[in-house]
Amino acid sequence: MRYIEPHGHMVSRVTDDYVDMVTAGCACVCEPAFWAGFDRSSVNGFNDYFCQLTDYEPKRAAKFGLPHFCWLCINPKESEDLKLAEEVIAIIPQFLERPNVLGIGEIGLNKNSRNELKVLEMHVDLAARHDQMILVHTPHLEDKLKGTRLIIDALRSDQRIRPERVIIDHVEEHTIQLALQAGFWAGMTLYPESKCSPARAIDMLEHYGGERLWLNSACDWGVSIPLNVPYTALEMKRRGWSAEDIDKVVYQNPLEFLSQCKKFRLPKHRVS
Ligand SMILES: [Zn+2]
């Protein structure tokens, strides 16, 4: 089996997770910028984090033979402080040319507040000005539907944004169609407790088909399972999916989306 982990917060994982992922057939991992579990106190905290994502973590992944890419932003949970958000967004351009940076993400909304929406629009403008792809985080539970609608409206109202270069992540049964119908890609996050289980994800894949969809484990510092993409592939096999159809969802689809960024290249021997 081969697969791509398109959304994994590896800074919160141990080296054994890298070993397990490579052993299971992981071809590369992509790491969006996210909340650290606490609010950073200044722009310097973000500067250090962006250095970690673009310098240290790719080196750590390379020790296990795993290509590492990342996305940069100030995440929605820390977007209430507009002054801090402006300062962080101002330092992002100096990191965009680094070889493992794929775009702006994971941006979006958390509580659907006015300030979060303003910071989302600032990020969308940043992505448009620098011709960057976008990875979107959608809110949890009761905030998800309203938040997804607000995010899609914000993206569609900026004429510079091409939907095929945007992925709306953490979709569930009630939001997947909104993202796909608007022309975006959609991601399903496989969590053991919330978001989406493997069985629910496969149900959605069987209902909507395998186009413009990917699976990820998000594997962060909370309760999460770094191998949930290959575990889901095993469940797909058990449910009668062909090897080709599984490969399309767990490898070819993320490869197609991510390859829109010129910097996204996998070592030759890994590409069929
Ligand atoms: Zn995430």
Side-chain angles (χ1 to χ4, degrees), residues 109-113 116 137-151 172 174-175:
L109 298 171
N110 182 50
K111 293 288 179 200
N112 301 334
S113 74
E116 285 175 14
H137 164 99
T138 48
H140 306 292
L141 304 173
E142 67 271 17
D143 295 320
K144 185 176 287 288
L145 181 59
K146 183 182 175 207
T148 303
R149 286 197 175 117
L150 287 169
I151 291 165
E172 293 181 31
H174 57 311
T175 57

Side-chain angles (χ1 to χ4, degrees), residues 7-9 32-34 106 135 137 169-170 189 191 195 216 218 220:
H7 187 147
H9 296 294
F34 85 141
E106 55 186 301
L135 190 152
H137 164 99
D169 220 331
H170 316 319
T189 300
Y191 262 8
K195 293 197 171 77
N216 63 75
D220 49 36

Side-chain angles (χ1 to χ4, degrees), residues 4-71:
I4 289 172
E5 175 51 79
H7 187 147
H9 296 294
M10 301 310 293
V11 300
S12 23
R13 308 307 308 195
V14 297
T15 51
D16 283 357
D17 296 320
Y18 273 125
V19 173
D20 290 346
M21 289 164 73
V22 172
T23 305
C26 191
C28 78
V29 61
C30 307
E31 177 155 8
F34 85 141
W35 191 53
F38 59 90
D39 288 350
R40 297 167 181 92
S41 59
S42 75
V43 66
N44 292 333
F46 285 90
N47 189 79
D48 293 346
Y49 179 45
F50 297 157
C51 289
Q52 185 181 19
L53 290 177
T54 58
D55 182 16
Y56 181 70
E57 201 60 32
K59 285 181 188 156
R60 195 165 78 105
K63 287 181 187 162
F64 305 94
L66 195 61
H68 175 284
F69 299 91
C70 70
W71 303 75

